[in-house]
Amino acid sequence: MSKLFYDHLVKFEQIEIELKKYELEGSDKEEMERLIDEQVHYRVMTCVLTHLPRHHHTEFLEKFAEKPYDEKLLLFLKEKVEDIEEKIIEEIKDIEALLLEDLGGKHGN
Amino acid sequence: MKKKTAPQKNFNQLRRKVGARTLTAKNVFENKHPHARNFFHQKGFDLSQIRRQSTKLLTAGTLAGALLLMPPKALPVQELPLPTEIMQEMVSPDARFPQNPQKFLADNLAKIFPQMAHPVSPEQERKFAIFVTKMTGVPVRATLEGEHLNTFFGMIGAEQHLPRFPGDTIAGHDEFRESGITPGRGAWGYFATSNNTLTQDDIQREKYYVAVQTLYLPDWPKRFTYLRDWYKYRKVMVLNPINGKAVVAVVGDSGPAAWTGKHFGGSPEVMYELGLDRGMRKGAVFLLFVDDPENKIKLGPVDYSQVNPEKVSVSEDI
């Protein structure tokens, strides 16, 4: 299964609805989906590494590179950082809010 | 200079905005954590490609295990918690089968699907395919001609009708008009060039179509031309583990995006036949390739009343 350890925290249903209004097809649709996916990767990783104590970074990055899908990664983070799951969720909510702002500008521009 | 249409103009603006945010996110990550950037660089991949990398790792583990006979512990997989005796029964020449295969299927799948968070070994996939083939009478596989989706289990969500030809409207579709029709074409374009050339096969394909995440196949960019053609109208079976309902459909669109929380999309007819056309209009399903080189298996719901598991033969090379 192609998944990442934080995938279950990401459900941009409203973004999906708003994006459909753009009538995208083929490569345009793929490009937009890819850009959003990449944004999530960078921001979640930044959030994790910012809160995770520096001396745990190497161990985390090694585990992540070996098994990006492993749900134990979140358990590892929870042991090292208080409320890390909540912090990741907040980051994801912020991503969603900004993307909806971008998508909502369709008819105004 | 060609005048831009409104949707194209809006998309270009949207692409600039979202692209800028993604670039900013990348720059923030690389500036705040340069050691992490260097780490990924040394590993030979970019964080932006992590989803494909994840699929590559999983596929290398499962398919390599099949080829090299690696011990299960070496694979990033788990064993399907189907009762061992049931699995053995399915592959045994002396197998005894239930009178109600749909209920038998649902009762047993309901035990395992909540735990399907990780991929399974090739041997377990094979046994699972045999189990489903026997119970439904439809020859299915998780791997067909060497091709394997990024997952054969996940959440399916409701899709709209697809335009079958240029100018097709919802009025031309005989059922589930309340689902609406997409403003754009599916990933493989129109099913016919016009209403006049629309065939019954085209109508059936649009009725029973699914969307799968071809975008996340590890070698989608490299083998794009081949994979695009291979997946076009590829016959699959979608199985609802809660009620045992199954429907034979074709791949008619790509998606949904991973960030939707879904792994597959189903046409209004597919969702109806699975019993997922009410409430949230989504649910967990299994999706497997149908091995039908002679194109004999009809699209639509599986009629269990016509299935006799004892008489269902299974290919030796499944």
Side-chain angles (χ1 to χ4, degrees):
Chain A
M1 180 183 302
S2 168
K3 66 173 269 203
L4 305 172
F5 75 92
Y6 49 79
D7 266 349
H8 64 290
L9 302 174
V10 185
K11 280 177 191 157
F12 290 161
E13 291 181 353
Q14 195 55 38
I15 289 176
E16 188 187 10
I17 292 168
E18 294 301 320
L19 201 53
K20 280 183 178 169
K21 295 176 185 174
Y22 280 79
E23 305 176 8
L24 302 180
E25 291 180 357
S27 57
D28 286 349
K29 182 168 169 262
E30 275 192 13
E31 185 187 357
M32 192 51 53
E33 288 172 355
R34 181 183 55 78
L35 282 173
I36 294 171
D37 209 27
E38 287 176 16
Q39 201 178 127
V40 172
H41 300 329
Y42 286 121
R43 288 198 58 175
V44 168
M45 190 57 60
T46 301
C47 174
V48 165
L49 294 177
T50 299
H51 290 98
L52 184 67
R54 179 68 177 83
H55 58 275
H56 290 305
H57 280 202
T58 302
E59 186 182 1
F60 171 75
L61 289 170
E62 289 285 358
K63 286 177 188 295
F64 179 69
E66 191 183 352
K67 294 182 186 178
Y69 46 82
D70 195 348
E71 60 192 18
K72 291 194 187 110
L73 286 164
L74 194 54
L75 292 173
F76 172 87
L77 290 172
K78 282 178 174 178
E79 284 168 10
K80 313 285 187 244
V81 183
E82 197 178 340
D83 298 332
I84 185 63
E85 189 168 345
E86 288 73 15
K87 290 175 169 65
I88 294 172
I89 289 170
E90 276 309 303
E91 189 72 20
I92 289 167
K93 279 184 184 167
D94 190 57
I95 298 169
E96 186 180 22
L98 291 171
L99 281 168
L100 284 172
E101 213 176 275
D102 293 340
L103 287 158
K106 173 180 185 265
H107 298 293
N109 294 321
Chain B
M1 190 161 91
K2 190 178 174 184
K3 194 175 177 183
K4 287 180 187 161
T5 59
Q8 184 63 34
K9 179 183 171 187
N10 287 331
F11 171 63
N12 285 335
Q13 288 172 354
L14 177 66
R15 179 165 51 188
R16 271 198 297 275
K17 284 184 193 174
V18 177
R21 286 202 198 279
T22 302
L23 187 59
T24 300
K26 179 180 177 180
N27 290 338
V28 166
F29 163 71
E30 292 184 346
N31 291 332
K32 272 189 137 180
H33 308 290
H35 59 290
R37 178 202 62 206
N38 295 338
F39 172 85
F40 289 123
H41 182 72
Q42 279 162 20
K43 288 289 179 183
F45 67 89
D46 191 276
L47 185 56
S48 65
Q49 301 300 313
I50 190 63
R51 195 171 296 287
R52 282 219 178 89
Q53 178 67 10
S54 180
T55 304
K56 224 180 261 184
L57 288 167
L58 289 165
T59 309
T62 52
L63 292 182
L67 291 170
L68 302 174
L69 300 176
M70 286 166 68
K73 281 183 184 173
L75 302 173
V77 299
Q78 68 171 16
E79 295 298 305
L80 267 177
L82 264 178
T84 310
E85 59 272 16
I86 290 176
M87 296 298 253
Q88 281 306 119
E89 276 273 330
M90 295 301 114
V91 300
S92 161
D94 301 319
R96 292 188 302 187
F97 298 98
Q99 300 240 327
N100 187 337
Q102 180 179 353
K103 185 176 183 306
F104 186 78
L105 201 58
D107 287 346
N108 283 285
L109 291 178
K111 294 174 193 166
I112 72 166
F113 90 82
Q115 301 167 51
M116 293 292 288
H118 299 287
V120 294
S121 69
E123 183 57 15
Q124 285 291 326
E125 277 189 355
R126 193 185 75 86
K127 286 184 177 173
F128 182 76
I130 293 173
F131 179 55
V132 174
T133 297
K134 282 284 190 184
M135 293 299 110
T136 63
V138 178
V140 294
R141 294 167 180 255
T143 300
L144 183 65
E145 298 173 14
E147 303 301 337
H148 191 294
L149 278 167
N150 53 339
T151 182
F152 73 95
F153 174 78
M155 294 295 286
I156 191 169
E159 301 284 350
Q160 295 178 297
H161 282 289
L162 290 172
R164 298 161 301 180
F165 51 84
D168 190 18
T169 64
I170 194 61
H173 293 252
D174 57 0
E175 287 186 297
F176 305 106
R177 290 179 183 169
E178 64 278 9
S179 296
I181 190 168
T182 62
R185 297 168 298 175
W188 283 273
Y190 294 116
F191 294 79
T193 54
S194 70
N195 192 19
N196 293 334
T197 60
L198 189 70
T199 64
Q200 275 304 311
D201 282 349
D202 295 328
I203 292 170
Q204 286 299 99
R205 285 189 190 122
E206 190 281 330
K207 265 183 188 284
Y208 299 107
Y209 86 85
V210 293
V212 298
Q213 294 175 323
T214 47
L215 170 65
Y216 302 126
L217 292 172
D219 49 357
W220 177 250
K222 273 190 206 163
R223 296 197 298 141
F224 172 73
T225 306
Y226 175 79
L227 288 174
R228 180 195 59 198
D229 291 342
W230 195 89
Y231 276 97
K232 183 178 179 180
Y233 307 151
R234 176 60 54 178
K235 209 171 271 185
V236 297
M237 190 179 76
V238 192
L239 172 62
N240 183 341
I242 297 293
N243 55 25
K245 290 185 176 183
V247 57
V248 178
V250 296
V251 175
D253 204 2
S254 69
W259 40 259
T260 60
K262 293 176 281 189
H263 307 86
F264 313 111
S267 68
E269 280 85 350
V270 163
M271 298 303 279
Y272 171 76
E273 297 297 349
L274 292 173
L276 293 173
D277 60 319
R278 284 149 272 177
M280 297 293 287
R281 299 199 302 152
K282 61 181 177 185
V285 297
F286 290 95
L287 189 146
L288 297 154
F289 296 123
V290 174
D291 188 6
D292 184 25
E294 294 174 25
N295 194 25
K296 287 182 176 173
I297 297 169
K298 288 184 184 170
L299 303 184
V302 168
D303 182 358
Y304 283 95
S305 68
Q306 304 298 314
V307 178
N308 182 349
E310 268 187 272
K311 296 204 169 135
V312 174
S313 62
V314 176
S315 169
E316 285 184 6
D317 65 345
I318 192 171

